[in-house]
Amino acid sequence: MTTTDEFAQLGAPLESSSSPALKFEVLAKCSTTKARASRMHLPHYTAHTPMFMPVGTMGTIKGITTAQLRTLDCHVILGNTYHLGSQPGPELLEKAGGLHKFMAWDRGLLTDSGGFQMVSLLKLANITEDGV
């Protein structure tokens, strides 16, 4: 994994893309493996890839605090929308001021759609024209 200091030494982006919620810049490429070093500008934080992304499925990371993750230079925590919706639930997250505040995390968050759970729990799903 490349450190934040090593990223500061990389020059101008080789290529980039941008949208309102994400700007992605490729800073270096390996000609042998096609691996890339990049910067991913998120609304709350600029993360560097490749990166270690711990899993906080329900808004918590087991066995380590967010302060410790900052010390380890962790940039992004992964959450799961399906699990966040059931526990801790939207009411508690809203009361806390959102997922960032609930987790005491001021850096990037990535949440998936929970689509795997929708498929894996298909027998329990009620599928209509309005959705699952």
Side-chain angles (χ1 to χ4, degrees):
M1 181 166 63
T2 307
T3 67
T4 300
D5 291 337
E6 290 171 314
F7 270 89
Q9 297 173 13
L10 297 173
L14 302 175
E15 56 188 89
S16 67
S17 65
S18 185
S19 74
L22 170 72
K23 179 179 178 185
F24 187 78
E25 301 173 307
V26 177
L27 303 173
K29 289 182 181 179
C30 175
S31 60
T32 305
T33 65
K34 308 299 184 210
R36 303 178 299 177
S38 63
R39 264 192 304 255
M40 186 169 53
H41 301 273
L42 303 166
H44 290 85
Y45 195 74
T46 297
H48 302 131
T49 69
M51 72 176 121
F52 168 71
M53 193 179 328
V55 177
T57 300
M58 292 184 272
T60 62
I61 309 268
K62 308 298 187 261
I64 192 167
T65 67
T66 52
Q68 291 168 317
L69 289 171
R70 270 186 222 89
T71 301
L72 293 170
D73 201 24
C74 178
H75 295 190
V76 177
I77 296 174
L78 176 64
N80 181 289
T81 303
Y82 174 83
H83 290 292
L84 288 165
S86 61
Q87 188 180 358
E91 296 83 14
L92 183 58
L93 290 174
E94 187 175 323
K95 187 176 181 180
L99 185 56
H100 278 93
K101 288 184 179 178
F102 176 79
M103 297 176 69
W105 184 247
D106 59 354
R107 296 185 176 188
L109 288 172
L110 182 129
T111 54
D112 69 1
S113 65
F116 174 79
Q117 285 77 18
M118 184 201 68
V119 173
S120 66
L121 301 172
L122 200 53
K123 293 176 186 174
L124 303 175
N126 181 18
I127 302 171
T128 68
E129 290 293 323
D130 295 326
V132 180

